[in-house]
Protein backbone atom coordinates (compact mmCIF):
# COMPACT_ATOMS: atom_id res chain seq x y z
CA UNK A 1 0.00 0.00 0.00
CA UNK A 2 2.83 2.40 0.85
CA UNK A 3 4.46 1.67 -2.51
CA UNK A 4 1.19 2.45 -4.31
CA UNK A 5 0.77 5.71 -2.39
CA UNK A 6 4.33 6.72 -3.21
CA UNK A 7 3.76 5.93 -6.89
CA UNK A 8 0.57 7.98 -7.01
CA UNK A 9 2.26 10.95 -5.35
CA UNK A 10 5.07 10.81 -7.88
CA UNK A 11 2.67 10.28 -10.78
CA UNK A 12 0.31 13.12 -10.04
CA UNK A 13 2.23 15.65 -7.99
CA UNK A 14 5.85 15.49 -9.04
CA UNK A 15 6.99 17.82 -11.83
CA UNK A 16 10.33 18.53 -13.40
CA UNK A 17 12.34 21.62 -12.42
CA UNK A 18 11.50 23.38 -15.70
CA UNK A 19 7.82 22.62 -15.30
CA UNK A 20 7.86 23.89 -11.75
CA UNK A 21 9.36 27.16 -12.94
CA UNK A 22 6.68 27.63 -15.59
CA UNK A 23 4.03 26.55 -13.09
CA UNK A 24 5.15 29.19 -10.62
CA UNK A 25 5.27 31.82 -13.34
CA UNK A 26 1.73 31.12 -14.60
CA UNK A 27 0.23 30.91 -11.13
CA UNK A 28 1.78 34.17 -9.96
CA UNK A 29 1.40 36.10 -13.23
CA UNK A 30 -2.01 34.99 -14.50
CA UNK A 31 -3.59 33.30 -11.47
CA UNK A 32 -3.58 29.81 -12.94
CA UNK A 33 -4.27 27.07 -10.44
CA UNK A 34 -1.65 24.36 -9.90
CA UNK A 35 -3.92 21.82 -11.60
CA UNK A 36 -4.38 24.07 -14.64
CA UNK A 37 -0.66 24.63 -15.09
CA UNK A 38 0.17 20.94 -14.66
CA UNK A 39 -2.34 20.16 -17.39
CA UNK A 40 -0.60 22.61 -19.71
CA UNK A 41 2.96 21.52 -18.99
CA UNK A 42 2.22 17.79 -19.04
CA UNK A 43 0.58 17.89 -22.47
CA UNK A 44 2.87 20.33 -24.20
CA UNK A 45 6.27 19.80 -22.58
CA UNK A 46 6.56 23.57 -22.33
CA UNK A 47 9.10 25.17 -20.05
CA UNK A 48 9.76 28.70 -18.96
CA UNK A 49 11.90 30.70 -21.38
CA UNK A 50 12.59 34.42 -21.80
CA UNK A 51 10.09 34.34 -24.66
CA UNK A 52 7.25 33.32 -22.31
CA UNK A 53 7.09 36.70 -20.62
CA UNK A 54 7.50 38.43 -24.00
CA UNK A 55 4.42 36.64 -25.32
CA UNK A 56 2.34 37.76 -22.35
CA UNK A 57 3.71 41.31 -22.59
CA UNK A 58 2.84 41.39 -26.28
CA UNK A 59 -0.77 40.42 -25.57
CA UNK A 60 -0.98 43.12 -22.90
CA UNK A 61 0.40 45.67 -25.34
CA UNK A 62 -2.58 44.88 -27.59
CA UNK A 63 -5.03 45.61 -24.79
CA UNK A 64 -5.74 42.12 -23.46
CA UNK A 65 -6.16 41.75 -19.71
CA UNK A 66 -4.92 38.88 -17.56
CA UNK A 67 -8.22 36.99 -17.69
CA UNK A 68 -8.27 37.14 -21.51
CA UNK A 69 -4.63 36.06 -21.77
CA UNK A 70 -5.33 33.17 -19.42
CA UNK A 71 -8.17 31.99 -21.67
CA UNK A 72 -5.90 32.15 -24.72
CA UNK A 73 -3.15 30.13 -23.06
CA UNK A 74 -5.70 27.58 -21.80
CA UNK A 75 -7.01 26.99 -25.33
CA UNK A 76 -3.69 27.32 -27.14
CA UNK A 77 -0.82 26.78 -24.66
CA UNK A 78 1.73 26.33 -27.43
CA UNK A 79 1.36 30.01 -28.14
CA UNK A 80 3.81 30.52 -25.24
CA UNK A 81 6.51 29.10 -27.49
CA UNK A 82 5.86 31.62 -30.30
CA UNK A 83 8.57 34.12 -31.04
CA UNK A 84 6.85 37.20 -29.72
CA UNK A 85 8.39 39.85 -31.97
CA UNK A 86 8.87 37.79 -35.12
CA UNK A 87 5.72 35.64 -35.16
CA UNK A 88 3.09 36.83 -32.70
CA UNK A 89 3.30 40.61 -32.94
CA UNK A 90 2.93 40.92 -36.77
CA UNK A 91 -0.17 38.68 -36.76
CA UNK A 92 -1.78 40.48 -33.84
CA UNK A 93 -1.13 43.75 -35.64
CA UNK A 94 -2.94 42.50 -38.77
CA UNK A 95 -5.98 41.37 -36.77
CA UNK A 96 -6.05 44.59 -34.75
CA UNK A 97 -5.86 46.70 -37.91
CA UNK A 98 -8.76 44.66 -39.27
CA UNK A 99 -10.77 45.81 -36.26
CA UNK A 100 -10.73 42.84 -33.89
CA UNK A 101 -10.86 43.84 -30.22
CA UNK A 102 -9.35 42.01 -27.27
CA UNK A 103 -12.49 39.91 -26.69
CA UNK A 104 -12.68 39.19 -30.43
CA UNK A 105 -9.11 37.87 -30.36
CA UNK A 106 -9.93 35.58 -27.44
CA UNK A 107 -12.91 34.19 -29.33
CA UNK A 108 -10.86 33.80 -32.49
CA UNK A 109 -8.25 31.70 -30.69
CA UNK A 110 -10.87 29.67 -28.81
CA UNK A 111 -12.51 28.68 -32.10
CA UNK A 112 -9.25 28.41 -34.07
CA UNK A 113 -6.41 27.66 -31.62
CA UNK A 114 -3.98 26.96 -34.45
CA UNK A 115 -4.37 30.41 -36.02
CA UNK A 116 -0.99 31.78 -34.90
CA UNK A 117 0.69 28.77 -36.42
CA UNK A 118 -0.41 29.91 -39.89
CA UNK A 119 2.04 31.80 -42.07
CA UNK A 120 1.27 35.51 -42.19
CA UNK A 121 2.04 36.00 -45.88
CA UNK A 122 1.20 32.48 -47.08
CA UNK A 123 -2.15 31.96 -45.31
CA UNK A 124 -3.48 34.76 -43.12
CA UNK A 125 -3.11 37.68 -45.54
CA UNK A 126 -4.39 35.75 -48.61
CA UNK A 127 -7.31 34.42 -46.54
CA UNK A 128 -8.30 37.87 -45.30
CA UNK A 129 -7.99 39.28 -48.83
CA UNK A 130 -10.36 36.60 -50.14
CA UNK A 131 -12.87 37.26 -47.37
CA UNK A 132 -12.74 41.00 -48.10
CA UNK A 133 -13.31 40.31 -51.79
CA UNK A 134 -16.30 38.06 -51.13
CA UNK A 135 -17.89 39.97 -48.23
CA UNK A 136 -17.16 43.52 -49.36
CA UNK A 137 -16.11 45.12 -46.08
CA UNK A 138 -13.92 44.64 -43.02
CA UNK A 139 -17.06 44.80 -40.85
CA UNK A 140 -18.47 41.73 -42.60
CA UNK A 141 -15.13 39.95 -42.36
CA UNK A 142 -15.08 40.56 -38.60
CA UNK A 143 -18.65 39.26 -38.29
CA UNK A 144 -17.73 36.04 -40.10
CA UNK A 145 -14.58 35.58 -38.01
CA UNK A 146 -16.59 36.07 -34.82
CA UNK A 147 -19.15 33.46 -35.92
CA UNK A 148 -16.86 30.87 -37.45
CA UNK A 149 -15.14 27.75 -36.26
CA UNK A 150 -13.17 27.83 -39.48
CA UNK A 151 -11.02 30.45 -41.12
CA UNK A 152 -10.21 30.73 -44.78
CA UNK A 153 -6.49 30.33 -44.16
CA UNK A 154 -5.73 27.10 -46.04
CA UNK A 155 -5.55 26.40 -49.76
CA UNK A 156 -8.40 23.90 -49.36
CA UNK A 157 -10.76 26.30 -47.60
CA UNK A 158 -9.96 29.18 -49.97
CA UNK A 159 -10.68 26.97 -52.97
CA UNK A 160 -13.91 25.69 -51.41
CA UNK A 161 -15.13 29.21 -50.68
CA UNK A 162 -14.35 30.42 -54.21
CA UNK A 163 -16.06 27.39 -55.76
CA UNK A 164 -19.26 27.76 -53.73
CA UNK A 165 -19.50 31.50 -54.28
CA UNK A 166 -19.20 30.82 -58.02
CA UNK A 167 -22.04 28.26 -57.75
CA UNK A 168 -24.27 30.80 -56.00
CA UNK A 169 -23.50 33.42 -58.66
CA UNK A 170 -24.14 30.98 -61.50
CA UNK A 171 -27.50 30.20 -59.93
CA UNK A 172 -28.41 33.87 -60.20
CA UNK A 173 -27.80 35.21 -56.70
CA UNK A 174 -26.35 38.70 -56.54
CA UNK A 175 -23.43 39.78 -54.37
CA UNK A 176 -25.66 41.27 -51.64
CA UNK A 177 -27.67 38.07 -51.26
CA UNK A 178 -24.54 35.93 -51.22
CA UNK A 179 -23.14 38.09 -48.43
CA UNK A 180 -26.38 37.68 -46.44
CA UNK A 181 -26.27 33.93 -47.06
CA UNK A 182 -22.72 33.71 -45.68
CA UNK A 183 -23.26 36.06 -42.74
CA UNK A 184 -26.33 34.17 -41.50
CA UNK A 185 -24.22 31.04 -40.91
CA UNK A 186 -20.68 31.09 -42.35
CA UNK A 187 -20.14 27.32 -42.11
CA UNK A 188 -22.80 26.53 -44.70
CA UNK A 189 -20.83 28.15 -47.51
CA UNK A 190 -18.12 25.55 -46.89
CA UNK A 191 -20.31 22.53 -47.67
CA UNK A 192 -19.52 20.14 -50.48
CA UNK A 193 -20.12 22.05 -53.76
CA UNK A 194 -22.24 19.18 -55.15
CA UNK A 195 -24.46 19.32 -52.06
CA UNK A 196 -24.87 23.09 -52.35
CA UNK A 197 -25.81 22.87 -56.03
CA UNK A 198 -28.35 20.10 -55.39
CA UNK A 199 -29.97 21.95 -52.48
CA UNK A 200 -30.38 25.11 -54.55
CA UNK A 201 -32.33 23.12 -57.15
CA UNK A 202 -34.22 21.14 -54.51
CA UNK A 203 -35.61 24.24 -52.80
CA UNK A 204 -36.69 25.79 -56.08
CA UNK A 205 -38.22 22.64 -57.57
CA UNK A 206 -39.66 20.88 -54.51
CA UNK A 207 -41.09 23.93 -52.76
CA UNK A 208 -41.53 26.23 -55.75
CA UNK A 209 -39.60 29.00 -54.04
CA UNK A 210 -38.26 31.34 -56.66
CA UNK A 211 -34.58 32.16 -56.45
CA UNK A 212 -35.67 35.80 -56.73
CA UNK A 213 -37.55 35.74 -53.42
CA UNK A 214 -35.81 37.05 -50.27
CA UNK A 215 -36.80 33.84 -48.44
CA UNK A 216 -34.92 31.65 -50.96
CA UNK A 217 -31.52 31.90 -49.27
CA UNK A 218 -33.11 31.16 -45.88
CA UNK A 219 -34.86 28.11 -47.31
CA UNK A 220 -31.54 26.90 -48.71
CA UNK A 221 -29.94 27.39 -45.30
CA UNK A 222 -32.55 25.09 -43.77
CA UNK A 223 -32.26 22.53 -46.57
CA UNK A 224 -28.48 22.32 -46.14
CA UNK A 225 -28.89 21.06 -42.58
CA UNK A 226 -31.96 18.93 -43.13
CA UNK A 227 -31.94 15.86 -45.36
CA UNK A 228 -34.72 15.30 -47.87
CA UNK A 229 -35.88 12.32 -45.80
CA UNK A 230 -36.14 14.54 -42.71
CA UNK A 231 -38.04 17.19 -44.67
CA UNK A 232 -40.52 14.58 -45.89
CA UNK A 233 -41.01 13.27 -42.34
CA UNK A 234 -41.82 16.77 -41.13
CA UNK A 235 -44.19 17.33 -44.02
CA UNK A 236 -45.94 14.11 -43.03
CA UNK A 237 -46.67 15.63 -39.61
CA UNK A 238 -48.45 18.52 -41.33
CA UNK A 239 -50.35 16.11 -43.59
CA UNK A 240 -51.58 14.32 -40.47
CA UNK A 241 -53.38 17.54 -39.50
CA UNK A 242 -55.01 18.01 -42.90
CA UNK A 243 -52.40 20.14 -44.64
CA UNK A 244 -51.88 19.63 -48.37
CA UNK A 245 -48.42 19.86 -49.92
CA UNK A 246 -49.13 23.24 -51.53
CA UNK A 247 -50.05 24.69 -48.10
CA UNK A 248 -46.87 23.27 -46.55
CA UNK A 249 -44.79 24.70 -49.40
CA UNK A 250 -46.42 28.11 -48.92
CA UNK A 251 -45.69 28.03 -45.19
CA UNK A 252 -42.07 27.04 -45.86
CA UNK A 253 -41.80 29.83 -48.42
CA UNK A 254 -42.96 32.43 -45.87
CA UNK A 255 -41.33 30.91 -42.77
CA UNK A 256 -38.42 28.74 -44.00
CA UNK A 257 -37.12 27.95 -40.52
CA UNK A 258 -40.34 26.09 -39.65
CA UNK A 259 -38.78 22.97 -41.18
CA UNK A 260 -35.78 23.47 -38.94
CA UNK A 261 -37.96 22.48 -36.00
CA UNK A 262 -38.21 18.91 -34.77
CA UNK A 263 -41.17 16.72 -35.68
CA UNK A 264 -42.18 16.81 -32.02
CA UNK A 265 -42.11 20.62 -31.95
CA UNK A 266 -44.18 20.86 -35.12
CA UNK A 267 -46.66 18.29 -33.83
CA UNK A 268 -47.11 20.07 -30.49
CA UNK A 269 -47.84 23.37 -32.20
CA UNK A 270 -50.31 21.86 -34.66
CA UNK A 271 -52.03 20.02 -31.82
CA UNK A 272 -52.44 23.21 -29.82
CA UNK A 273 -53.37 25.56 -32.65
CA UNK A 274 -55.63 23.23 -34.62
CA UNK A 275 -57.17 20.82 -32.10
CA UNK A 276 -56.97 23.13 -29.11
CA UNK A 277 -57.87 26.46 -30.64
CA UNK A 278 -59.64 25.22 -33.75
CA UNK A 279 -57.46 27.10 -36.21
CA UNK A 280 -57.44 25.99 -39.85
CA UNK A 281 -54.46 25.71 -42.20
CA UNK A 282 -55.74 28.78 -44.06
CA UNK A 283 -55.77 30.83 -40.86
CA UNK A 284 -52.36 29.61 -39.76
CA UNK A 285 -50.93 30.45 -43.17
CA UNK A 286 -52.23 34.01 -42.80
CA UNK A 287 -50.68 34.19 -39.30
CA UNK A 288 -47.58 32.11 -39.95
CA UNK A 289 -45.51 33.83 -37.25
CA UNK A 290 -47.33 31.55 -34.79
CA UNK A 291 -44.78 28.91 -35.75
CA UNK A 292 -41.84 31.10 -34.72
CA UNK A 293 -42.88 31.50 -31.07
CA UNK A 294 -42.27 29.16 -28.16
CA UNK A 295 -45.50 27.39 -27.28
CA UNK A 296 -44.76 26.87 -23.59
CA UNK A 297 -42.85 30.06 -22.87
CA UNK A 298 -44.93 32.50 -24.86
CA UNK A 299 -48.09 31.36 -26.63
CA UNK A 300 -49.80 29.32 -23.89
CA UNK A 301 -49.09 31.78 -21.04
CA UNK A 302 -50.38 34.69 -23.10
CA UNK A 303 -53.39 32.73 -24.30
CA UNK A 304 -54.20 32.02 -20.63
CA UNK A 305 -54.04 35.73 -19.82
CA UNK A 306 -56.28 36.60 -22.75
CA UNK A 307 -58.80 33.97 -21.66
CA UNK A 308 -58.98 35.49 -18.17
CA UNK A 309 -59.54 38.96 -19.57
CA UNK A 310 -62.29 37.72 -21.85
CA UNK A 311 -64.02 35.77 -19.09
CA UNK A 312 -64.09 38.95 -16.98
CA UNK A 313 -65.34 40.84 -20.04
CA UNK A 314 -62.41 43.25 -19.88
CA UNK A 315 -61.66 42.80 -23.58
CA UNK A 316 -63.71 41.88 -26.62
CA UNK A 317 -62.69 39.94 -29.70
CA UNK A 318 -59.64 42.14 -30.01
CA UNK A 319 -56.76 41.98 -29.43
CA UNK A 320 -56.42 38.58 -31.05
CA UNK A 321 -53.96 35.96 -29.82
CA UNK A 322 -51.65 36.53 -32.80
CA UNK A 323 -51.51 40.21 -31.85
CA UNK A 324 -50.52 39.71 -28.22
CA UNK A 325 -48.00 36.93 -28.89
CA UNK A 326 -46.30 39.35 -31.28
CA UNK A 327 -45.81 41.91 -28.50
CA UNK A 328 -42.36 42.14 -26.95
CA UNK A 329 -42.19 40.90 -23.36
CA UNK A 330 -41.95 44.46 -22.02
CA UNK A 331 -44.92 45.64 -24.05
CA UNK A 332 -47.04 42.65 -23.02
CA UNK A 333 -46.31 43.23 -19.33
CA UNK A 334 -47.30 46.88 -19.75
CA UNK A 335 -50.49 45.68 -21.41
CA UNK A 336 -51.28 43.39 -18.45
CA UNK A 337 -50.57 46.13 -15.91
CA UNK A 338 -53.49 48.05 -17.37
CA UNK A 339 -55.79 45.38 -15.87
CA UNK A 340 -54.13 45.02 -12.44
CA UNK A 341 -56.92 46.98 -10.68
CA UNK A 342 -59.52 44.57 -12.06
CA UNK A 343 -57.39 41.40 -11.81
CA UNK A 344 -54.80 41.77 -9.04
CA UNK A 345 -51.75 39.54 -9.48
CA UNK A 346 -52.19 39.12 -13.23
CA UNK A 347 -48.59 40.02 -14.07
CA UNK A 348 -47.26 37.83 -11.29
CA UNK A 349 -49.28 34.85 -12.45
CA UNK A 350 -48.17 35.36 -16.05
CA UNK A 351 -44.51 35.43 -15.05
CA UNK A 352 -44.95 32.27 -12.99
CA UNK A 353 -46.53 30.56 -15.97
CA UNK A 354 -43.64 31.59 -18.21
CA UNK A 355 -41.08 30.49 -15.62
CA UNK A 356 -42.68 27.07 -15.30
CA UNK A 357 -42.41 26.60 -19.05
CA UNK A 358 -45.90 25.19 -19.21
CA UNK A 359 -49.51 25.91 -18.38
CA UNK A 360 -49.05 24.39 -14.92
CA UNK A 361 -50.87 27.33 -13.29
CA UNK A 362 -54.63 26.93 -13.35
CA UNK A 363 -56.09 30.33 -14.13
CA UNK A 364 -59.48 31.24 -12.76
CA UNK A 365 -61.36 34.39 -13.67
CA UNK A 366 -62.64 34.81 -10.14
CA UNK A 367 -59.30 34.36 -8.44
CA UNK A 368 -56.28 34.62 -10.71
CA UNK A 369 -53.90 33.31 -8.03
CA UNK A 370 -55.79 30.06 -7.52
CA UNK A 371 -53.67 26.98 -8.34
CA UNK A 372 -54.74 23.61 -9.60
CA UNK A 373 -54.02 20.83 -12.04
CA UNK A 374 -52.22 21.21 -15.33
CA UNK A 375 -54.54 22.50 -18.04
CA UNK A 376 -54.60 24.29 -21.36
CA UNK A 377 -56.94 27.25 -21.69
CA UNK A 378 -58.27 27.34 -25.23
CA UNK A 379 -59.43 30.58 -26.68
CA UNK A 380 -62.04 30.55 -29.43
CA UNK A 381 -60.46 30.91 -32.88
CA UNK A 382 -60.20 34.38 -34.32
CA UNK A 383 -60.79 35.12 -37.98
CA UNK A 384 -58.48 38.12 -38.30
CA UNK A 385 -54.77 38.59 -37.89
Amino acid sequence: MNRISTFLRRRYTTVSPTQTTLTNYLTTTLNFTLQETLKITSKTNLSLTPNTSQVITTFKNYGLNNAQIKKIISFAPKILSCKAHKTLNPKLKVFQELGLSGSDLVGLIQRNPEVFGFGLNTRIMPGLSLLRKVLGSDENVIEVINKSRWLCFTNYSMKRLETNVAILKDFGLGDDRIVKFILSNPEKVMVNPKVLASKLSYVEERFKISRELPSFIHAVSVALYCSEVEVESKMEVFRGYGWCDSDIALLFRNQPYVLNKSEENIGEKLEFYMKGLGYTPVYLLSCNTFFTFSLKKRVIPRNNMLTILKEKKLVGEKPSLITIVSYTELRFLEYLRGFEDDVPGLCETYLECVESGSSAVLLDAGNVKKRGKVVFYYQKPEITC
Side-chain angles (χ1 to χ4, degrees):
M1 181 62 71
N2 289 335
R3 291 180 180 177
I4 294 175
S5 298
T6 301
F7 169 77
L8 290 175
R9 285 197 300 271
R10 289 177 179 173
R11 174 66 179 83
Y12 292 103
T13 64
T14 303
V15 292
S16 69
T18 55
Q19 289 175 327
T20 301
T21 304
L22 180 59
T23 296
N24 290 340
Y25 181 81
L26 292 178
T27 54
T28 56
T29 305
L30 298 174
N31 295 321
F32 275 88
T33 66
L34 178 61
Q35 185 177 5
E36 288 170 336
T37 55
L38 289 176
K39 183 178 180 181
I40 290 174
T41 55
S42 64
K43 288 186 176 181
T44 59
N45 294 319
L46 290 172
S47 59
L48 183 64
T49 68
N51 194 65
T52 305
S53 60
Q54 293 174 9
V55 167
I56 293 174
T57 300
T58 299
F59 277 126
K60 289 183 176 180
N61 289 340
Y62 279 89
L64 276 71
N65 58 40
N66 284 356
Q68 291 171 328
I69 298 172
K70 181 180 176 181
K71 284 184 179 180
I72 289 174
I73 294 172
S74 296
F75 277 90
K78 289 185 178 180
I79 206 165
L80 291 173
S81 63
C82 284
K83 294 181 179 179
H85 300 299
K86 183 177 180 181
T87 302
L88 186 60
N89 186 67
K91 294 172 185 177
L92 284 172
K93 184 178 180 181
V94 166
F95 287 124
Q96 187 181 63
E97 290 175 348
L98 177 66
L100 292 173
S101 65
S103 58
D104 292 331
L105 286 170
V106 174
L108 167 66
I109 296 168
Q110 285 179 331
R111 292 184 299 274
N112 304 273
E114 74 285 358
V115 65
F116 287 102
F118 293 153
L120 178 61
N121 296 313
T122 58
R123 289 193 178 185
I124 293 177
M125 294 301 292
L128 290 176
S129 294
L130 176 58
L131 288 173
R132 285 189 178 101
K133 177 183 176 182
V134 171
L135 298 172
S137 71
D138 285 353
E139 290 74 19
N140 288 339
V141 173
I142 291 172
E143 185 173 344
V144 165
I145 288 175
N146 284 335
K147 287 182 177 180
S148 299
R149 280 178 283 187
W150 63 270
L151 287 175
C152 196
F153 293 159
T154 67
N155 291 333
Y156 171 82
S157 60
M158 283 189 271
K159 182 64 177 177
R160 173 63 62 87
L161 178 61
E162 290 177 317
T163 299
N164 284 344
V165 168
I167 289 173
L168 294 171
K169 287 184 176 180
D170 290 343
F171 201 78
L173 300 185
D175 291 342
D176 288 347
R177 298 182 71 198
I178 291 174
V179 169
K180 288 181 180 179
F181 178 74
I182 297 173
L183 292 179
S184 64
N185 188 339
E187 273 77 17
K188 64 179 172 280
V189 80
M190 300 301 288
V191 300
N192 186 300
K194 291 182 179 180
V195 172
L196 177 60
S198 67
K199 293 295 185 178
L200 290 168
S201 299
Y202 172 72
V203 168
E204 187 172 53
E205 295 168 6
R206 180 67 179 85
F207 293 98
K208 311 301 180 187
I209 302 178
S210 169
R211 62 186 74 181
E212 303 299 327
L213 290 174
S215 62
F216 180 79
I217 58 174
H218 300 292
V220 173
S221 295
V222 173
L224 282 171
Y225 290 105
C226 194
S227 71
E228 294 180 21
V229 172
E230 290 173 324
V231 170
E232 291 301 318
S233 294
K234 293 172 184 180
M235 290 180 68
E236 195 59 40
V237 177
F238 281 98
R239 294 184 188 113
Y241 284 85
W243 290 61
C244 63
D245 283 8
S246 59
D247 287 339
I248 302 169
L250 180 58
L251 177 64
F252 186 44
R253 187 180 313 156
N254 294 326
Q255 291 291 344
Y257 292 101
V258 168
L259 289 185
N260 230 7
K261 307 295 183 182
S262 67
E263 292 176 40
E264 180 182 10
N265 182 283
I266 293 171
E268 287 177 349
K269 287 179 177 176
L270 291 173
E271 181 74 15
F272 181 76
Y273 292 135
M274 298 188 70
K275 291 192 175 180
L277 300 182
Y279 294 159
T280 64
V282 172
Y283 180 73
L284 288 172
L285 282 170
S286 67
C287 300
N288 54 64
T289 52
F290 265 131
F291 290 96
T292 67
F293 300 120
S294 167
L295 202 60
K296 294 180 179 179
K297 292 285 188 179
R298 192 176 187 117
V299 179
I300 291 174
R302 295 190 184 191
N303 183 64
N304 282 339
M305 299 302 107
L306 191 58
T307 299
I308 290 297
L309 296 176
K310 287 190 174 184
E311 286 182 355
K312 292 186 73 67
K313 301 188 184 319
L314 295 173
V315 297
E317 288 304 311
K318 293 186 178 181
S320 63
L321 180 59
I322 187 61
T323 298
I324 66 167
V325 298
S326 300
Y327 288 169
T328 64
E329 186 74 352
L330 180 60
R331 183 180 177 187
F332 184 65
L333 286 171
E334 290 175 348
Y335 173 76
L336 290 183
R337 288 189 188 102
F339 301 98
E340 281 286 340
D341 290 342
D342 298 293
V343 191
L346 191 63
C347 288
E348 177 189 349
T349 303
Y350 166 71
L351 292 172
E352 289 178 10
C353 194
V354 172
E355 181 67 24
S356 70
S358 69
S359 55
V361 178
L362 177 62
L363 303 177
D364 180 88
N367 180 4
V368 77
K369 291 187 177 182
K370 182 179 179 180
R371 302 294 185 263
K373 63 182 179 180
V374 177
V375 296
F376 283 146
Y377 255 108
Y378 295 132
Q379 177 187 330
K380 295 295 183 183
E382 303 98 342
I383 57 173
T384 59
C385 272

